[in-house]
Amino acid sequence: MPNSNILLIVSEEQTGDLLKRGVLQPAGYQVTQVGEPTAAKSIIRSSPVDCIILESGVGGEDFKFVYDLLATFPATPLILIGPEKDTDQYVKLLRRGLLDFLTPPLKPDAVLESVQQGVDQSARLISWAKDQYRRDTDFLRQRVNVLETLGNVGRSVTASLDLDEVLKSVVDAAVEITGAEEGSLLILDESSGELTMRASLNFKDEFVKTFRLPISDTLAGEVVRTGKPVLLDEKSPQKIKTSYLVKTLIYVPLKIQDKVLGVLGVDNRESERPFQPQHISLVAALADYAAIAIENARLFENTEIARHKLEAILTRIEDGVIVVDPDGKVILVNRVARTLFGIDDDEMFMKPVEEVFNHEQLIDLLTNGHETFPFRCELELDEDKVINAQLNFVPDVGLTITMHDVTYFKELDRIKSEFVSTVSHDLRSPLTAILGYVELLERVGPVNDKQRSFIQRVQVSVRNITELINDLLDLGRIESGFDESKVSLSITNVVMYSIESLKDRILDSDVKLALDVPKDLPQIIGDSVRLRQVVDNLLGNALRYTPKGGKIEVELREENEQIIFQVCDNGVGIPAADRPHIFEKFYRASNVVENISGSGLGLAIVKTIVENHNGRIWVDSTEGEGSVFTIVLPIEKNQE
Ligand code: ADP
């Protein structure tokens, strides 16, 4: 073949020239001549060589280079030129792939015939390789197309919420991948036990609409019952009905965790072209996508139903509900809460609370991190409305506030307090008169021992009633906030005065008192008389409810710009069921023994005073082991 490339490897330039100019070039071959192995190999690697002519002596007498070339470039024909004496070696090399050998004297015709044979062999090899490459490329292209189609369907399953659209794309892909004439996706209607056609390609609309296939005695039904795919060709006996006549067909089940939801099928009615077994696995992969899409749609529908129910409940309940995420963005404000805070913005979802609400107290509640939940407080709205709010933390959601309008109860409470205060006031004068006259009794004439004992009982009872009335009047005054006169004061002094005045009671009660009351604490803003009342009450209770030989610890400290005041005793403790109520008026715990007198008003007074000082109070207690009352009060701002 003219223009073919011949590589001539000869040690003597003269021999080379003779072959090149005398024989090969005149016959139309392109000839490259080299004299040593490295140059030869680099040429074969870098440019096309159709045939090699090698002189046997190049690269040594032992034929090493010849073996090397045959092993490294097995596709390039090699002709060896060498002395006749080595013919035995040449025969061995022929077995290793040598094309031919020539012995001097070289005859031009023999050389050309041999070279032509090499060139032809090279051409055949190249053409075979090209065909093979084309076949491989076509095969790979097909595989890539199939993978792309599967990938597209997979993406549409995750991206689209429209089930019909996804199922249609599954059927289209099944038809495309298998080269079928038509495709269908049948869904099992569990109530009727029939299969209906949910998606299809190349079926008539009317046929699709009316399609109903029982699962007994049908091919698709068998796939549903067994959960196994079916491949049908012209040779398979068609005992079972397909409801339409086909020549070849594949049906695979749509399965979710062993439950068969339906069947994906492709078929040929005209062509007899059989489907291949590998088509089953491809259609099965698509059926899996369809099953996932159906399951996703079912789960989504369930979630939507649950969400609508929840939304309906939250909208209808008579309590206000606000939900914000951990970043302070609004997730939900129900109807009642919208009315309470006068919101008519429908676009509030995921807006910051500061943008949605115009209520300082509420914004503060939702944005200033609280540590203990539930946190209860009252919010004041316009028109003297009072809302009882409960702040809660819900993991993975954020903060929720439920709100209840307590304006009516507040008003009721105010009227009741007013009534109690009026009645108490009116009772005080006659009681003072009774006490006065009882005291006079002994002065106006002799009384016997029995009469004296009765007089004393009357006096104790009247004093108890007077104390109760004083407490009630106190509470009324404190609640109304009329008598407040707050100044900057040292809480240490208040506590120490109180302890000083209770000294006799402490000695009488035979308890050990431990004090941790530092002098150099920051000042607070408060009413010293009322705060004395707080300390007196808590210490008085600790003394009353701690049996002889017990221990009381009083502690004051500063923590995070707050004063912490704690009274801790190892007395009778408070039963768990009573604990939430002990700050209510007239409430006494169930374990109080009868001979310990008390009105149940002390802690109600304490709590009201503490809250009037913007503080908080709570109790930790174990029945039979003791109690710890803790009060937190803010320190005065801007202190040096
Ligand atoms: P009371 O006049 O009954 O002491 P308080 O309002 O001061 O009324 O207290 C309410 C109730 O709380 C008490 O009756 C008692 O049951 C309980 N309590 C208060 N302090 C203590 C304490 N230190 N140890 C045990 N129980 C206590």
Side-chain angles (χ1 to χ4, degrees):
M1 196 181 289
N3 278 333
S4 297
N5 296 302
I6 311 297
L7 177 64
L8 197 55
I9 315 170
V10 283
S11 53
E12 276 185 31
E13 218 174 316
Q14 264 182 339
T15 327
D17 271 356
L18 217 61
L19 272 173
K20 187 171 158 185
R21 292 187 216 281
V23 182
L24 297 169
Q25 281 180 342
Y29 292 110
Q30 304 282 336
V31 182
T32 311
Q33 184 180 339
V34 289
E36 51 89 30
T38 318
K41 277 172 140 185
S42 107
I43 286 174
I44 306 170
R45 282 202 180 96
S46 57
S47 54
V49 173
D50 298 304
C51 185
I52 305 168
I53 301 174
L54 169 68
E55 191 196 331
S56 68
V58 178
E61 294 301 314
D62 51 3
F63 299 99
K64 236 182 173 172
F65 181 50
V66 189
Y67 280 107
D68 184 15
L69 279 182
L70 287 171
T72 318
F73 308 105
T76 314
L78 178 65
I79 299 165
L80 194 63
I81 301 174
E84 204 171 343
K85 66 175 172 59
D86 291 333
T87 303
D88 287 352
Q89 279 296 332
Y90 305 152
V91 172
K92 274 191 205 163
L93 285 164
L94 282 174
R95 288 191 205 112
R96 291 293 187 93
L98 185 71
L99 177 73
D100 197 3
F101 66 89
L102 302 167
T103 50
L106 298 179
K107 291 188 186 109
D109 284 352
V111 172
L112 285 178
E113 189 189 337
S114 189
V115 167
Q116 191 54 45
Q117 202 187 332
V119 168
D120 288 348
Q121 182 181 317
S122 200
R124 278 196 303 278
L125 205 70
I126 287 170
S127 139
W128 174 85
K130 277 185 182 160
D131 279 356
Q132 190 61 25
Y133 171 76
R134 206 172 297 118
R135 274 193 297 276
D136 285 351
T137 313
D138 283 352
F139 178 72
L140 282 175
R141 197 171 290 129
Q142 265 174 25
R143 302 288 298 177
V144 169
N145 285 346
V146 166
L147 287 176
E148 249 172 30
T149 311
L150 286 175
N152 288 341
V153 175
R155 265 189 298 282
S156 80
V157 169
T158 45
S160 171
L161 280 177
D162 183 341
L163 183 59
D164 285 324
E165 189 185 298
V166 175
L167 297 184
K168 176 79 174 98
S169 72
V170 165
V171 173
D172 291 356
V175 168
E176 187 189 322
I177 286 176
T178 57
E181 289 167 14
E182 51 190 23
S184 59
L185 193 140
L186 313 179
I187 295 285
L188 179 64
D189 176 352
E190 290 199 17
S191 57
S192 66
E194 287 178 329
L195 288 159
T196 57
M197 203 175 278
R198 178 74 189 255
S200 64
L201 182 66
N202 299 338
F203 279 91
K204 290 211 171 73
D205 279 355
E206 205 46 43
F207 179 80
V208 173
K209 266 186 219 147
T210 52
F211 184 90
R212 287 267 178 292
L213 195 67
I215 54 170
S216 53
D217 295 336
T218 59
L219 198 58
E222 186 186 292
V223 174
V224 171
R225 277 181 280 114
T226 60
K228 296 216 166 68
V230 172
L231 189 151
L232 194 87
D233 56 33
E234 275 277 84
K235 283 166 264 151
S236 331
Q238 285 201 39
K239 280 195 218 134
I240 310 179
K241 277 183 277 174
T242 49
S243 105
Y244 46 91
L245 271 177
V246 296
K247 289 191 170 144
T248 54
L249 166 147
I250 288 178
Y251 269 157
V252 296
L254 261 56
K255 272 204 254 183
I256 281 284
Q257 288 165 353
D258 289 341
K259 187 172 179 232
V260 182
L261 311 174
V263 175
L264 175 63
V266 285
D267 62 69
N268 290 316
R269 289 202 215 203
E270 303 289 330
S271 144
E272 289 169 12
R273 197 170 63 86
F275 290 112
Q276 304 303 317
Q278 74 266 22
H279 286 146
I280 295 187
S281 43
L282 292 173
V283 179
L286 287 166
D288 284 346
Y289 280 136
I292 291 168
I294 293 169
E295 183 66 1
N296 279 354
R298 191 184 65 79
L299 293 175
F300 183 72
E301 197 179 311
N302 285 354
T303 319
E304 277 295 279
I305 291 171
R307 202 174 67 87
H308 279 123
K309 273 189 194 162
L310 202 67
E311 215 168 78
I313 294 168
L314 284 173
T315 313
R316 302 251 156 91
I317 55 170
E318 284 308 314
D319 282 344
V321 179
I322 296 174
V323 184
V324 300
D325 76 359
D327 299 327
K329 305 245 169 58
V330 172
I331 297 177
L332 180 138
V333 180
N334 80 341
R335 184 183 49 86
V336 176
R338 283 172 196 231
T339 316
L340 284 173
F341 293 96
I343 298 170
D344 46 16
D345 181 4
D346 280 334
E347 305 284 304
M348 69 182 106
F349 185 68
M350 289 320 262
K351 276 193 185 167
V353 280
E354 294 88 345
E355 267 180 44
V356 177
F357 298 101
N358 183 18
H359 190 278
E360 216 174 296
Q361 237 186 321
L362 177 74
I363 294 172
D364 194 50
L365 191 65
L366 286 168
T367 47
N368 278 351
H370 289 269
E371 276 153 22
T372 43
F373 296 101
F375 176 80
R376 288 192 185 81
C377 65
E378 280 180 0
L379 302 178
E380 282 165 27
L381 302 186
D382 297 342
E383 298 158 15
D384 291 336
K385 252 193 179 17
V386 183
I387 302 295
N388 192 315
Q390 179 170 316
L391 181 73
N392 249 316
F393 176 72
V394 183
D396 297 333
V397 176
L399 291 172
T400 64
I401 297 189
T402 43
M403 287 169 292
H404 198 68
D405 188 345
V406 290
T407 315
Y408 172 73
F409 300 104
K410 276 286 189 192
E411 184 57 13
L412 214 63
D413 200 43
R414 193 189 60 75
I415 295 168
K416 202 175 70 190
S417 301
E418 221 171 78
F419 171 76
V420 170
S421 146
T422 316
V423 173
S424 314
H425 203 266
D426 291 351
L427 278 175
R428 222 162 42 166
S429 319
L431 282 173
T432 318
I434 294 172
L435 209 56
Y437 284 111
V438 170
E439 265 164 20
L440 286 178
L441 272 179
E442 269 198 275
R443 300 202 199 156
V444 293
V447 289
N448 62 28
D449 285 352
K450 204 154 200 172
Q451 285 168 328
R452 185 167 300 111
S453 138
F454 287 167
I455 288 171
Q456 276 166 2
R457 282 197 205 176
V458 171
Q459 281 175 328
V460 168
S461 296
V462 174
R463 275 199 200 103
N464 279 347
I465 299 175
T466 314
E467 214 169 274
L468 173 68
I469 285 170
N470 284 342
D471 275 355
L472 278 172
L473 285 171
D474 244 4
L475 193 58
R477 273 199 294 272
I478 296 164
E479 277 180 343
S480 66
F482 283 155
D483 69 337
E484 266 178 17
S485 60
K486 289 184 183 151
V487 290
S488 170
L489 54 84
S490 151
I491 187 74
T492 309
N493 288 347
V494 174
V495 174
M496 291 317 287
Y497 280 133
S498 171
I499 290 171
E500 188 60 30
S501 67
L502 289 168
K503 215 156 79 191
D504 293 344
R505 268 185 73 188
I506 296 168
L507 288 174
D508 285 351
S509 60
D510 195 17
V511 294
K512 231 170 98 189
L513 181 68
L515 296 181
D516 182 2
V517 184
K519 284 207 177 67
D520 51 356
L521 289 176
Q523 304 273 106
I524 65 163
I525 295 289
D527 180 327
S528 58
V529 178
R530 294 296 173 212
L531 289 172
R532 254 293 288 284
Q533 226 172 333
V534 168
V535 184
D536 284 353
N537 257 301
L538 292 186
L539 270 175
N541 280 352
L543 287 168
R544 260 188 306 159
Y545 300 111
T546 305
K548 278 188 188 333
K551 189 175 174 194
I552 297 174
E553 288 164 17
V554 176
E555 190 189 326
L556 258 184
R557 62 176 190 277
E558 186 204 346
E559 227 174 77
N560 303 331
E561 308 202 328
Q562 291 175 318
I563 294 290
I564 315 283
F565 173 57
Q566 271 181 325
V567 180
C568 166
D569 65 56
N570 62 353
V572 297
I574 304 163
D578 295 312
R579 239 171 279 146
H581 305 290
I582 57 162
F583 294 101
E584 290 168 13
K585 289 172 201 163
F586 302 109
Y587 194 89
R588 306 200 73 199
S590 50
N591 63 337
V592 172
V593 283
E594 258 180 35
N595 62 353
I596 300 181
S597 66
S599 62
L601 278 175
L603 287 182
I605 292 176
V606 167
K607 186 165 191 263
T608 314
I609 296 173
V610 169
E611 283 175 357
N612 277 355
H613 283 76
N614 298 324
R616 284 185 295 137
I617 178 167
W618 68 92
V619 65
D620 299 296
S621 178
T622 310
E623 191 177 4
E625 288 184 18
S627 315
V628 183
F629 282 86
T630 307
I631 289 178
V632 179
L633 292 167
I635 64 168
E636 182 184 353
K637 292 215 172 98
N638 308 324
Q639 289 184 66
E640 300 264 299

